[in-house]
Amino acid sequence: MRFYGIDYLQTQSNINDYLKYIIIFSTLFILIVVFSLYMRHRLQTKYRDLTIIAFLFLLFISGVQYADYTDSQNIHSQSSQMVNFVRLLSKEKEVSINSIFSNSVQLSDGIIVKINDFYYRVNLNADQKTYNLVEVSLVNPEIEIMKN
């Protein structure tokens, strides 16, 4: 079972987002180059066809990126809620923020939180404004801690 520290929760960035941006900007660059070649050599239709293909590919990738962007915004919002929850838990239990680990990067009902050497299950209310901690024991005590 993996547990994540506060540093990991704060610096969670997705390499896939950067890869998508690189693909979009490289396609845009190719579109500009091919379009300028088409404008220079108007009689050769291969540049016009390449321009249309690059434009359609850019439109497709942009649509996919927008859908992923909205999903990513929801995930980042839930991740920031988890960071705030860990900070609140640190103040309530009067422990260091670096001694609290969770088994999820998103705040949801039923996650397991490790505070020092104790494990708690978080029971969230339906509106996620109140919570209850219940001490639990792990069946498999082998855990992996992801600090960063």
Side-chain angles (χ1 to χ4, degrees):
M1 179 180 286
R2 285 189 174 167
F3 282 85
Y4 305 99
I6 189 73
D7 293 333
Y8 184 87
L9 294 173
Q10 288 175 335
T11 60
Q12 181 188 11
S13 64
N14 199 350
I15 192 71
N16 293 333
D17 291 340
Y18 296 120
L19 183 64
K20 290 175 193 170
Y21 292 137
I22 289 171
I23 290 173
I24 287 175
F25 287 119
S26 62
T27 305
L28 184 61
F29 178 74
I30 291 170
L31 177 67
I32 291 170
V33 168
V34 172
F35 184 71
S36 66
L37 287 173
Y38 167 68
M39 293 305 287
R40 178 181 285 182
H41 309 285
R42 290 183 186 229
L43 295 177
Q44 295 180 355
T45 59
K46 66 179 176 181
Y47 295 120
R48 184 192 67 195
D49 295 342
L50 287 174
T51 303
I52 292 170
I53 290 170
F55 178 72
L56 290 175
F57 183 72
L58 182 66
L59 229 97
F60 173 73
I61 292 297
S62 297
V64 169
Q65 179 60 29
Y66 179 74
D68 288 345
Y69 173 74
T70 56
D71 292 341
S72 173
Q73 287 298 95
N74 290 337
I75 290 171
H76 289 301
S77 172
Q78 291 175 345
S79 179
S80 66
Q81 287 176 350
M82 189 65 192
V83 170
N84 291 335
F85 176 73
V86 169
R87 288 185 179 146
L88 176 74
L89 202 57
S90 169
K91 288 179 185 175
E92 180 183 313
K93 293 290 187 178
E94 297 176 355
V95 295
S96 170
I97 199 166
N98 294 323
S99 64
I100 298 176
F101 300 95
S102 70
N103 73 334
S104 175
V105 295
Q106 300 172 2
L107 182 62
S108 61
D109 191 35
I111 63 171
I112 307 295
V113 176
K114 178 183 185 285
I115 302 173
N116 292 329
D117 292 330
F118 299 101
Y119 298 94
Y120 299 95
R121 192 179 104 184
V122 178
N123 296 323
L124 290 173
N125 195 1
D127 61 359
Q128 292 190 351
K129 299 209 185 277
T130 61
Y131 66 94
N132 183 19
L133 294 178
V134 177
E135 190 170 348
V136 295
S137 299
L138 297 180
V139 174
N140 185 2
E142 295 179 24
I143 64 167
E144 178 183 359
I145 294 180
M146 308 290 287
K147 290 187 178 180
N148 193 0

